Structure formats: C-alpha cells, structure tokens
Amino acid sequence: MDKELDKSGQRKLECADVSRCFQLLERIIDGNNIPDSKEIIQEKLAKCQPCFEHFHLEKAIKEAIHTKCTKFCMSEDMKSDIRKKIQEIKLDAR
C-alpha cells in the first residue's frame, strides 16, 4: 500500500493498490480483528483520497443498513440478494 503523500502534502488522488486497500478497510469496518487497524485507518485516510472516500462511504452504508433494516424481518434470501447487489455496485464502481 502506498504510504506517501503527494508532493504538495495533500492526499494522493490515486491509490497504488485500490482493491487490496478497499478490502482491508471493509474488513476493518466489518469488525474483523486486524492487527494495528487504528493505525492503518489513520494512515490510509490521511494520505489517500480514494481510501478516505471509500472508508466513509462503506461506513455510511453499513450504518444506514443497520439503522434502517434491523427493525424489519427479512428472509435470508432477501438479505443475500441485498448483499450481492451491494457487491456488484462496489465492483462496478472500481
């Protein structure tokens, strides 16, 4: 993963390893036990604009689903369909 700021000291506009970074950030958001996860998030979000945007979008989606969908009974098939659709949209966005 790219750990450098661009020459102006701003977040980089392109991520050197988008797929790997996004997967790691998603695993952290999902609560997987990732060693040094706080440090990884602080570093990536401070230095990489795509990671910053992806992290906050994923977090907002997860929070919206949690607050809006947990009050309704939903079949496992429907949950699975929603998860698949979210994954398809994320893949299309990359």
Side-chain angles (χ1 to χ4, degrees):
M1 287 183 260
D2 201 345
K3 297 181 181 181
E4 303 280 329
L5 292 176
D6 72 6
K7 293 176 185 173
S8 68
Q10 300 294 314
R11 285 187 191 111
K12 288 191 170 225
L13 298 179
E14 293 184 24
C15 184
D17 198 355
V18 171
S19 186
R20 195 172 109 192
C21 290
F22 285 11
Q23 288 174 357
L24 177 61
L25 291 172
E26 289 168 18
R27 289 177 53 212
I28 291 170
I29 290 170
D30 288 342
N32 293 321
N33 187 12
I34 308 293
D36 303 321
S37 60
K38 280 187 178 184
E39 292 81 11
I40 292 169
I41 288 175
Q42 289 174 345
E43 181 178 311
K44 290 304 295 174
L45 302 188
K47 296 180 181 180
C48 181
Q49 187 64 31
C51 290
F52 178 86
E53 292 172 4
H54 182 75
F55 177 81
H56 289 290
L57 176 62
E58 288 295 316
K59 193 171 178 183
I61 291 170
K62 187 170 184 75
E63 289 171 1
I65 290 172
H66 179 72
T67 59
K68 303 294 182 190
C69 296
T70 57
K71 297 177 183 176
F72 301 100
C73 291
M74 192 182 308
S75 71
E76 288 302 316
D77 288 339
M78 183 178 244
K79 289 179 188 177
S80 177
D81 289 345
I82 291 170
R83 286 185 187 107
K84 286 179 189 174
K85 187 65 177 172
I86 290 170
Q87 288 300 330
E88 288 172 11
I89 291 168
K90 289 188 327 189
L91 289 175
D92 289 345
R94 293 180 188 169

